Amino acid sequence: MADGTKAVVDTSAADAATDEAALAAAIDELAGSEDATGSAPADARGGATAAAAPGRTDAEEDTDEDRDGDGDDEPATGPDRESAVSEETSEITAPLSVQEIRAELAAGSPRKKATPEPARPARRPTDPQPTVDPRDTATLPRTLPAPQRRSGDMIGHRYRLEECISQTETFSSWRAVDEKLRRAVGVHLMASGHQRARKVLAAAKSAALLGDPRFVQVLDAVHEGELVYIVREWLPHSSDLAKLLVNGPMEPHEAYQMVRQVADAVAAAHQRGQAHLRLTPRCVLRTDSGQYRINGIAVDAALRGLPAEDAEDAQRADTRAIGALLFAALTHRWPYPEDRYDLQGLPKGLQNAAPDQVRAGVHKGLSELAARALFDQPPHHAKPITTPEELVRAIAQLPRIRQPEPELPDFPTPPRHNTHALPTAPNPTRVADTTVAPLPASSRPASSRRTKRRLRRVVKATAWTIALGAIGVASWQFVDGLRHTPPAVTPPLPSATSTAPSPQASTHNPVPIAIKDAQSYNPLGDGAEGKETLANAIDGKPDTQWTTQWYEDQFSPSLYKAGTGLLLDLGSPQAVSSVNVQFAGNHTAELRVPNASAAANPKGAPLNDFTVVGKKSGGTADFTLDNPVTTRYLLIWLTSLPKDSDGKFRGHVAEVKAFG
């Protein structure tokens, strides 16, 4: 580089006007040199510059060669000299980069095309402030090992590693401590020479700009030497969805809250041009307050090398992932053949089955929602949901799902003193309660003790007054009764025939009652069960059966659907004294009768409108009522089904008979 050019660069910091004039002169001279070299033949360097691509200057070729370390050692002259001026001025004043100078030349003066000759492949433009490596990422290794670090190592002179959370071939994840702010953080480590490093940094920076509190925040993204590290927020008192599903499926209300919050957050991110692309049960965290937060937006996909998708495919991928989360929350099964996240996968025959077909008792509305979001062709010809915004609208249209009543802990019931009982002695002795220790005298206020003593005195006086009054009244009635009692008359001894009750008077002969119709009662399901075989339950043939639909799991009172039933119509109100039910296999069933509110339309009435009059288990159920019940309808409510040979649970009712 000539001395005159260096002088221009050195004086730019002192005189801004001189610097701008020098920069303008450099741009003009560079543009003129491009016009001259664009039509010239190969120069003395052996045709290296003439072989460049059209529109590419000698300065650019030499700059690339020097950057790669395989250029020559000749001093820069002519156009090379001006390019050097531009680059050094950019480093000092930072008004324009080399690429920006090229854009200015392209916009300000037309270029002449060079003579087409075999050209070597043009390199991509370099980043003025490269984040990883200015070279083409295609030349970087694909499987560069993750940097080896240990607990206690410092990253960036600020973050101290404490515990390795996960380790893969390409990156590792740690729980660390920010020594500057004294808080826990999460850190991802990756080798800067890895092919994914540049994309990981770009994804982390875009995620940091999202600024949505429903996502775990990215705090820092740094390239330092041979290391690239991403720092994120750490939530110590939270549990991911995989841990929440360890003990079984979620309640309908909790599953609704999860899918609603996740769908709202993902839809908002897509409106700002962000996509998660790897939404799994490990990424959804629930805090102590019940709020759900999403971890790893864009970063998790970049760390694992998932390809970037266009906007439409990204929306479908995230919507399908939310549907999979809801499916797992409702069924405790992963909706794919593989076992993932401590969840068992589905068999091949259930790949497109809705959640309520996989597990009994699943909320119908949530089941349909999960199937529409997960499958491209949902069951029952339902319309698929393809975007998070459509999913948010579909969730808003669901009927209200009530939160279950909290279960109160069992507290020991304190003994109650019956103050109205008659005393058994003139001075009754008070028995101390050994189960509940009395408070020390010093811990009770004096006024409270005085009030209690007065209350006890009043209670005792009242009890004595009532007792004396009761004794006086009883004595007066007894004496009055003796005065007016007529003489006793000895009745004749009864005969032996009159004392022994006749068999006809003591034995009730049951009378069969004809059952006119049998219907499926399934208030919590998606339709009637076993329509084709309903008549088999009342045809008088024990070898025929009414069979319910199959279930993967047994009925349970804790689930949304606790059973299914068979509704019998007697044609008119009848006095029913007993009902006999024959099953194929061991069942648990309840005999219920509708109350006044359900008598008009028992099939459409809720289960709470039926009164339980008996409960039996086994292969045969004989319901014998203490007092006959007058009703037109009888409900056989099945709460436990046997497991068939194929491993599925089904109900089998062979015959039902009613007696009056």
Side-chain angles (χ1 to χ4, degrees):
M1 192 176 294
D3 294 338
T5 306
K6 184 65 176 178
V8 172
V9 174
D10 292 340
T11 59
S12 61
D15 190 354
T18 305
D19 177 51
E20 293 179 359
L23 181 60
I27 293 174
D28 294 338
E29 187 175 354
L30 182 58
S33 64
E34 285 186 349
D35 294 340
T37 56
S39 59
D43 58 10
R45 288 188 294 173
T49 57
R56 186 174 179 88
T57 65
D58 297 343
E60 295 172 39
E61 295 294 333
D62 292 344
T63 302
D64 287 343
E65 290 179 0
D66 293 342
R67 185 180 295 110
D68 293 339
D70 54 3
D72 52 31
D73 297 329
E74 294 180 6
T77 59
D80 296 340
R81 175 170 173 263
E82 297 300 330
S83 177
V85 172
S86 300
E87 290 184 338
E88 289 210 10
T89 306
S90 171
E91 293 177 358
I92 296 175
T93 62
L96 292 174
S97 66
V98 176
Q99 284 71 25
E100 291 169 333
I101 293 176
R102 295 171 185 164
E104 291 284 345
L105 295 177
S109 60
R111 297 186 179 182
K112 298 180 180 180
K113 294 186 178 180
T115 304
E117 294 184 7
R120 64 182 181 182
R123 291 186 176 89
R124 296 181 181 179
T126 59
D127 191 349
Q129 296 179 350
T131 55
V132 181
D133 195 322
R135 299 177 298 172
D136 188 353
T137 57
T139 63
L140 300 178
R142 292 179 177 269
T143 58
L144 195 63
Q148 296 296 325
R149 292 294 185 272
R150 298 180 179 178
S151 298
D153 290 354
M154 295 295 294
I155 303 298
H157 304 288
R158 177 173 177 176
Y159 306 105
R160 175 169 50 84
L161 303 180
E162 287 198 344
E163 180 185 2
C164 184
I165 305 302
S166 63
Q167 176 84 32
T168 67
E169 295 181 355
T170 57
F171 70 94
S172 59
S173 300
W174 293 76
R175 176 175 60 83
V177 174
D178 186 347
E179 294 289 351
K180 184 176 181 180
L181 300 179
R182 304 304 304 170
R183 64 179 179 181
V185 294
V187 178
H188 298 302
L189 301 179
M190 173 179 279
S192 60
H194 195 280
Q195 194 178 49
R196 302 177 191 168
R198 190 182 186 93
K199 294 182 180 179
V200 169
L201 278 173
K205 291 178 180 179
S206 64
L209 297 176
L210 188 58
D212 193 329
R214 293 171 292 189
F215 293 90
V216 177
Q217 301 298 302
V218 175
L219 305 176
D220 207 352
V222 181
H223 168 219
E224 187 179 76
E226 62 178 9
L227 189 65
V228 167
Y229 59 91
I230 310 299
V231 183
R232 65 173 178 85
E233 184 183 5
W234 184 263
L235 303 178
H237 303 293
S238 63
S239 302
D240 59 50
L241 185 59
K243 292 182 181 179
L244 297 176
L245 297 178
V246 168
N247 297 326
M250 285 184 168
E251 294 289 340
H253 181 268
E254 185 64 27
Y256 167 78
Q257 291 295 330
M258 183 274 296
V259 71
R260 181 182 64 82
Q261 295 185 33
V262 172
D264 286 343
V266 174
H270 276 274
Q271 289 179 356
R272 300 186 59 179
Q274 290 285 350
H276 195 288
L277 301 179
R278 196 179 182 274
L279 196 57
T280 68
R282 301 289 186 194
C283 299
V284 179
L285 309 176
R286 187 180 69 179
T287 62
D288 291 343
S289 62
Q291 180 186 6
Y292 285 88
R293 301 186 65 182
I294 302 174
N295 184 25
I297 181 169
V299 176
D300 277 10
L303 285 171
R304 289 161 178 82
L306 298 182
E309 301 181 0
D310 55 24
E312 183 176 356
D313 293 340
Q315 288 186 346
R316 185 67 187 103
D318 282 351
T319 306
R320 185 181 292 110
I322 299 175
L325 296 179
L326 180 57
F327 191 103
L330 295 174
T331 64
H332 195 236
R333 302 286 290 269
W334 189 238
Y336 299 102
E338 303 83 6
D339 296 344
R340 299 289 301 276
Y341 313 108
D342 298 328
L343 298 173
Q344 184 180 0
L346 291 180
K348 295 182 179 179
L350 294 176
Q351 290 305 307
N352 289 326
D356 58 355
Q357 296 177 344
V358 175
R359 187 180 184 88
V362 174
H363 188 276
K364 182 179 179 181
L366 293 176
S367 174
E368 180 181 356
L369 186 72
R372 293 177 59 195
L374 180 60
F375 304 127
D376 293 332
Q377 296 180 352
H380 310 298
H381 304 285
K383 181 181 178 181
I385 300 175
T386 58
T387 65
E389 291 185 4
E390 293 180 6
L391 183 58
V392 170
R393 289 193 295 268
I395 294 173
Q397 295 174 359
L398 283 177
R400 180 184 178 186
I401 301 177
R402 296 184 178 181
Q403 185 175 4
E405 295 292 335
E407 297 182 1
L408 297 178
D410 296 332
F411 294 104
T413 303
R416 296 182 179 179
H417 300 285
N418 188 1
T419 59
H420 299 284
L422 294 178
T424 57
N427 186 16
T429 303
R430 183 180 178 183
V431 180
D433 186 7
T434 59
T435 59
V436 181
L439 292 174
S442 60
S443 64
R444 294 177 293 180
S447 60
S448 176
R449 292 197 299 270
R450 287 194 298 268
T451 302
K452 290 182 179 179
R453 283 198 298 267
R454 292 173 183 173
L455 181 60
R456 283 196 295 268
R457 292 171 185 170
V458 172
V459 169
K460 288 180 180 179
T462 304
W464 275 106
T465 303
I466 294 174
L468 293 175
I471 293 174
V473 172
S475 301
W476 179 78
Q477 290 179 348
F478 177 73
V479 173
D480 186 69
L482 291 177
R483 292 177 180 177
H484 298 85
T485 300
V489 178
T490 304
L493 295 176
S495 62
T497 57
S498 63
T499 58
S502 62
Q504 290 80 6
S506 61
T507 304
H508 173 71
N509 292 328
V511 178
I513 300 176
I515 301 176
K516 302 299 183 181
D517 188 22
Q519 301 179 13
S520 172
Y521 179 76
N522 191 20
L524 305 178
D526 53 359
E529 298 192 23
K531 293 181 180 179
E532 299 79 5
T533 59
L534 283 170
N536 295 340
I538 56 174
D539 61 354
K541 301 177 182 178
D543 55 344
T544 61
Q545 304 170 3
W546 169 65
T547 304
T548 68
Q549 69 179 11
W550 57 266
Y551 296 94
E552 286 286 342
D553 299 288
Q554 185 60 271
F555 291 141
S556 174
S558 61
L559 296 176
Y560 188 79
K561 180 178 180 180
T564 188
L566 180 65
L567 185 63
L568 306 175
D569 185 3
L570 305 181
S572 62
Q574 302 285 340
V576 180
S577 60
S578 63
V579 177
N580 177 266
V581 184
Q582 299 181 22
F583 300 108
N586 292 327
H587 295 62
T588 300
E590 298 174 352
L591 178 62
R592 294 176 176 244
V593 294
N595 55 26
S597 60
N601 183 22
K603 188 175 181 180
L607 185 63
N608 294 335
D609 289 349
F610 288 82
T611 304
V612 180
V613 296
K615 183 176 181 179
K616 299 289 183 179
S617 297
T620 301
D622 289 318
F623 299 98
T624 302
L625 308 182
D626 297 335
N627 298 313
V629 177
T630 302
T631 181
R632 176 181 174 179
Y633 297 96
L634 297 172
L635 175 61
I636 309 298
W637 182 250
L638 305 179
T639 59
S640 178
L641 307 179
K643 182 182 288 187
D644 290 349
S645 58
D646 58 355
K648 295 180 173 58
F649 294 88
R650 294 184 180 88
H652 305 278
V653 180
E655 196 67 29
V656 182
K657 296 180 180 179
F659 300 92

